[in-house]
Amino acid sequence: MGLTYSRADSLSPPPLPSFADLTAATAKSIKESAKAEKINYLDLPAPIKYEDIQRETLMALKPEVFEGMRFEINKPLNQNFFLSHSLFMGNMELGTGGRQILKAPIGTYEFGANVISEKFMMLGRIATDGRLSGRLKYDLLDWLAVKLHMQLSNEAGQSQVMVDSDVKGHDWNAQVKLGSPSFIGLNYFQSITPKLSAGGEFFWLQSNLKSGVGFAMRHTGDKHVANLQVATTGIMSMGYAHKVSEKITLASDFLWHWQSREATATVGFDCMLRQCRLRGKIDSNGVVSTYVEERFAPGINFVLSAEIDHPHSNHRFGFGVVAGE
C-alpha cells in the first residue's frame, strides 16, 4: 500500500497576528503626543497689551469711515524724521439727542512733524481750528516704557493730558495711567496657557466721582482670535476674527449694554488683494459701510469710504488720496 501525499498536509497553518509591535508603537506615539502637548507654565509667551485685545476685530470692523474729501501727504526728510500735511473738507455731525442728525460743513488743515527711532517716538500735529495734539513714547528699559498723550484746544473742557507707564514681564504686562482731569487707571494681562490669556482693569474719574472694574479674556488659535470683555459700567463685548486664508479674514462682534438693555451685533470682512484692501460690515441696526484702499503706485493710495444708515437717514460718502508711506 503506497503512501498518499497531500499538498495541504505539507502546509502549516499561518501564525496568529502579533499585536506586540503595534501596541508598542501606539503607546510610543501617544507618549510623544502627550509630551508635545504638555504645557510648561514657567515658559509661557508674552501676551498682547490689555488695550489691544480687540485689535483684529477692530481692524476689520472699525475702519475710519469719513464723509467728504481728504488728502494726506507724508514727506520723509531722512530715516527718522518726516513731515505730514492733511487737508479735510466735509461735514461735521451735530448731536441733537433725537433720531434726526444735523450736519455742518467744515474744513481743516493739519501740519505734523514726526520723529521715530528705535527707542523713542514723537508725533505732533497742529490744526487750523486751534487743536494741538502730540504723542511721545520712550523705552527707558527693555521692560519699561513711558508714553505721553496730549491734546490742547481753545474750547473749554477739550484739553487732555495722559501719561502711561508700560511694564513688561516674561508672560505678563501691566499699565498705569494718569490723566487730567483726575483720572487714574490700572490694567494687568497674564498668559494662562500658550493660547489663552486673561486680565482686568480698574479706573477712577474723580471729576465725575465714577469708577469701574473690568475683566477680559483672549484666546488665540492657529486661524482665529476670540476675546471677551465685561465691565461694571454696564458693557459686555465679545469679538471673533477668523482667518479664512492669507488674504481673507471674517470678523464679528457683539456689544451689550445691560443697563440700557441695548445690544448691537456686527459682521464684516477684511480682504487683502494684490493692490487693494477692501473692508466691509453690516450691523443689527441696519448700518452698512465699506472702506476701500487702492494702491495706484508705490506710495500713492486712493481711498473710498461709504456708509448707509437707513434708520437715521444718514448717508456718508468720502474719497481721498494718501501720498507717502
Side-chain angles (χ1 to χ4, degrees), residues 172-194:
W172 59 272
N173 61 69
Q175 189 178 65
V176 180
K177 293 176 174 286
L178 299 176
S180 63
S182 303
F183 176 83
I184 300 175
L186 304 170
N187 63 64
Y188 177 85
F189 214 48
Q190 170 73 54
S191 291
I192 301 177
T193 68

Side-chain angles (χ1 to χ4, degrees), residues 252-269:
S252 64
D253 69 354
F254 177 78
L255 183 63
W256 178 32
H257 297 262
W258 67 69
Q259 293 181 351
S260 60
R261 299 186 181 276
E262 296 180 356
T264 304
T266 308
V267 295
F269 64 90

Side-chain angles (χ1 to χ4, degrees), residues 14 28 39 50 70 97 112-113 130 256 260 279:
K28 182 178 180 181
I39 299 175
Y50 187 91
R70 187 179 70 183
W256 178 32
S260 60
R279 285 175 284 181

Side-chain angles (χ1 to χ4, degrees), residues 29-97:
S29 177
I30 294 175
K31 185 177 180 180
E32 291 179 353
S33 300
K35 184 178 180 180
E37 295 178 356
K38 187 177 180 180
I39 299 175
N40 184 6
Y41 290 97
L42 299 179
D43 189 20
L44 295 176
I48 199 171
K49 292 183 180 180
Y50 187 91
E51 58 188 7
D52 295 333
I53 60 177
Q54 297 182 350
R55 181 177 59 186
E56 290 79 8
T57 55
L58 291 179
M59 288 293 293
L61 302 178
K62 305 294 182 182
E64 189 181 353
V65 179
F66 63 96
E67 181 180 14
M69 178 182 63
R70 187 179 70 183
F71 292 95
E72 294 184 7
I73 300 176
N74 298 317
K75 182 177 178 58
L77 300 181
N78 53 47
Q79 295 181 352
N80 299 326
F81 182 69
F82 67 94
L83 303 177
S84 63
H85 306 269
S86 178
L87 176 65
F88 174 74
M89 300 176 63
N91 294 323
M92 179 180 61
E93 296 182 359
L94 303 176
T96 60

Side-chain angles (χ1 to χ4, degrees), residues 267-299:
V267 295
F269 64 90
D270 187 357
C271 183
M272 298 287 295
L273 303 179
R274 186 169 63 90
Q275 290 185 335
C276 175
R277 182 177 185 179
L278 175 63
R279 285 175 284 181
K281 69 171 183 176
I282 181 172
D283 61 24
S284 57
N285 295 324
V287 180
V288 182
S289 63
T290 184
Y291 193 85
V292 182
E293 296 175 275
E294 178 75 21
R295 181 178 292 271
F296 283 169

Side-chain angles (χ1 to χ4, degrees), residues 53-61 218-227 238-244 248-253 266 268-270:
I53 60 177
Q54 297 182 350
R55 181 177 59 186
E56 290 79 8
T57 55
L58 291 179
M59 288 293 293
L61 302 178
R218 175 184 166 96
H219 185 273
T220 304
D222 296 334
K223 292 187 177 181
H224 77 273
V225 175
N227 59 79
M238 294 184 292
Y240 180 82
H242 185 82
K243 194 171 185 179
V244 180
I248 300 177
T249 301
L250 302 179
S252 64
D253 69 354
T266 308
F269 64 90
D270 187 357

Side-chain angles (χ1 to χ4, degrees), residues 144-183:
L144 179 62
V146 178
K147 293 187 295 184
L148 172 65
H149 305 266
M150 179 182 63
Q151 180 175 336
L152 304 179
S153 176
N154 296 328
E155 301 179 5
Q158 297 297 323
S159 299
Q160 296 179 353
V161 178
M162 182 76 68
V163 179
D164 300 348
S165 297
D166 296 332
V167 183
K168 301 177 183 179
H170 181 71
D171 56 359
W172 59 272
N173 61 69
Q175 189 178 65
V176 180
K177 293 176 174 286
L178 299 176
S180 63
S182 303
F183 176 83

Side-chain angles (χ1 to χ4, degrees), residues 15 18 52 100 131 173 180 209-210 212 217 220 284:
S18 176
D52 295 333
Q100 188 66 28
R131 290 182 295 108
N173 61 69
S180 63
L209 297 179
K210 185 177 181 180
M217 296 184 67
T220 304
S284 57

